[in-house]
Amino acid sequence: MSTLPPSICLRMNLALGALALGALLAACGAQPDAGPEASTTDEAIAAGDAFCPQGFAFDAGHQLCLSATEAAGPFAPSMIDFCRQWVPNRADGSNACQTNEWGFPATRWARSLAIDARLATKQADGCPRGTTFNAGQGYCSDGQNLYGPFTKDDVFFCQTAGGGGAACETNRVAVGMARPKSVGPVPGGISAEGKAQMSRIVAYADAHHSGVSGGRCFEYVWDYLWRSGYGKIDEYNDAPDMPSAYARNFAEYMNQGNNAATWGLQRLPINNPYDAPVGAVVVVAAGSPGTAHPTAGDIAIAAGGGRFINDGPNMGYGGSRQAFVNGGGKVLGIYAPL
């Protein structure tokens, strides 16, 4: 079956009214995938590290999540503009190219159309026209949103520390919900078992805290650690050479030599408790917002949503990452399992 030239297809479909993307491509003939072009973003994500919705796989050359017939969005505004050149409005004035919905099937385009749009709008830095590569975040940005695909670890961070929920599983998130690249691979070095341990400790701490923060943070957090099996800490008497009078002692000990690794932990390169992934151990210095003792500091488990569990369920360090900074807060260490 022969296919019509795109220009004739466009005129016909504009005259006929709205057609679904699939119908449009069927009538006009899907073009073979165009070859990828090298750019600064083409090697930003390895195929095994990228998060794509179920049924889609990451195509490193095109930087898209693709199935045999579709591409998963949302897509950058310039790609939407390209799409709208070929897909007419529906009767109600809406357009199938527009993907404002977060995480819904409407964020799916026909594979060939998405690839063509990606190539047609691609700039020298690899980003779609109207966006620029944000080195601090590691993705293309229009100033308000970042456009993926994102790494699995960045999706995990967005869902936990960012609190973005299902929106994090799309290819567009608000800049504020993404992890700054300056904080390093969070939680890139955490194994599947480590992530399971992080989930377990939050559940255990939520069920076994005293009900109020009353100055027994180290005692309670240590109990959460060994009873839930965090890292290699699974006995009360583990790390016998670690002082335990003050919360800061945990960080002072784990920051020395290979102590953290010995006990199955790693220090995450994060300097704000509100950036800590859910299930991480957070230690802040005395004088930080939320602390009362003049020298002890505080230790807690990050529970998400700006909540931290020490001996009570609702510890906080100023209420937000900026309040922590403005209040002179200092992180001594944030830790997760290997």
Side-chain angles (χ1 to χ4, degrees), residues 140-237:
C140 301
S141 174
D142 60 11
Q144 293 183 318
N145 298 305
L146 299 174
Y147 294 90
F150 304 106
T151 67
K152 295 172 184 176
D153 290 337
D154 282 344
V155 171
F156 179 78
F157 181 92
C158 175
Q159 291 175 322
T160 54
C168 301
E169 297 183 3
T170 74
N171 287 323
R172 178 184 63 196
V173 300
V175 171
M177 291 198 302
R179 170 178 58 89
K181 291 303 176 188
S182 60
V183 305
V186 181
I190 302 175
S191 66
E193 173 56 26
K195 293 176 183 178
Q197 292 172 8
M198 295 169 79
S199 295
R200 285 201 301 268
I201 198 170
V202 173
Y204 186 88
D206 258 330
H208 293 88
H209 58 74
S210 71
V212 62
S213 296
R216 301 169 66 190
C217 57
F218 199 137
E219 173 189 348
Y220 271 77
V221 170
W222 184 253
D223 199 58
Y224 305 151
L225 293 171
W226 76 267
R227 289 188 184 275
S228 67
Y230 196 87
K232 296 180 180 179
I233 302 170
D234 51 20
E235 296 287 346
Y236 176 80
N237 292 322

Side-chain angles (χ1 to χ4, degrees), residues 245-258:
Y246 300 117
R248 60 176 170 79
N249 293 149
F250 184 92
E252 291 167 351
Y253 176 82
M254 292 299 175
N255 293 348
Q256 291 178 11
N258 294 321

Side-chain angles (χ1 to χ4, degrees), residues 3 7 23 35 39-40 46 52 70 74 99 110 156 199 231 245 247 258 267 275 302 317 328 331:
T3 59
S7 59
S39 71
T40 58
C52 286
E70 293 183 308
T99 55
F156 179 78
S199 295
N258 294 321
R267 183 182 181 184
D275 290 335
Y317 303 111
V331 165

Side-chain angles (χ1 to χ4, degrees), residues 13-338:
N13 283 293
L14 287 173
L16 290 172
L19 289 176
L21 291 179
L24 175 64
L25 288 177
C28 298
Q31 300 300 313
D33 293 352
E37 299 175 4
S39 71
T40 58
T41 62
D42 281 346
E43 297 180 0
I45 304 176
D49 294 333
F51 176 89
C52 286
Q54 186 174 3
F56 292 80
F58 181 62
D59 184 300
H62 297 297
Q63 294 284 301
L64 291 169
C65 287
L66 301 174
S67 72
T69 58
E70 293 183 308
F75 304 98
S78 61
M79 293 179 65
I80 293 173
D81 289 343
F82 177 90
C83 175
R84 289 174 70 100
Q85 296 178 45
W86 299 96
V87 180
N89 289 342
R90 304 182 182 103
D92 64 1
S94 64
N95 190 283
C97 299
Q98 192 69 38
T99 55
N100 286 330
E101 299 89 344
W102 296 82
F104 292 95
T107 61
R108 308 291 187 254
W109 281 4
R111 175 188 173 105
S112 294
L113 180 62
I115 290 174
D116 287 347
R118 183 82 173 86
L119 293 173
T121 61
K122 190 175 182 180
Q123 303 173 119
D125 64 357
C127 292
R129 190 167 53 250
T131 68
T132 57
F133 185 71
N134 183 326
Q137 308 266 205
Y139 297 103
C140 301
S141 174
D142 60 11
Q144 293 183 318
N145 298 305
L146 299 174
Y147 294 90
F150 304 106
T151 67
K152 295 172 184 176
D153 290 337
D154 282 344
V155 171
F156 179 78
F157 181 92
C158 175
Q159 291 175 322
T160 54
C168 301
E169 297 183 3
T170 74
N171 287 323
R172 178 184 63 196
V173 300
V175 171
M177 291 198 302
R179 170 178 58 89
K181 291 303 176 188
S182 60
V183 305
V186 181
I190 302 175
S191 66
E193 173 56 26
K195 293 176 183 178
Q197 292 172 8
M198 295 169 79
S199 295
R200 285 201 301 268
I201 198 170
V202 173
Y204 186 88
D206 258 330
H208 293 88
H209 58 74
S210 71
V212 62
S213 296
R216 301 169 66 190
C217 57
F218 199 137
E219 173 189 348
Y220 271 77
V221 170
W222 184 253
D223 199 58
Y224 305 151
L225 293 171
W226 76 267
R227 289 188 184 275
S228 67
Y230 196 87
K232 296 180 180 179
I233 302 170
D234 51 20
E235 296 287 346
Y236 176 80
N237 292 322
D238 282 343
D241 53 337
M242 177 178 64
S244 57
Y246 300 117
R248 60 176 170 79
N249 293 149
F250 184 92
E252 291 167 351
Y253 176 82
M254 292 299 175
N255 293 348
Q256 291 178 11
N258 294 321
N259 286 346
T262 297
W263 296 106
L265 304 181
Q266 58 181 311
R267 183 182 181 184
L268 303 178
I270 303 176
N271 58 14
N272 194 298
Y274 291 91
D275 290 335
V278 171
V281 180
V282 174
V283 186
V284 302
S288 296
T291 63
H293 193 280
T295 60
D298 189 72
I299 183 170
I301 304 300
R307 185 171 68 94
F308 303 86
I309 308 171
N310 49 22
D311 46 332
N314 294 301
M315 182 61 185
Y317 303 111
S320 70
R321 65 187 320 279
Q322 192 58 51
F324 180 77
V325 173
N326 293 344
K330 179 181 179 182
V331 165
L332 298 180
I334 294 177
Y335 310 87
L338 291 168

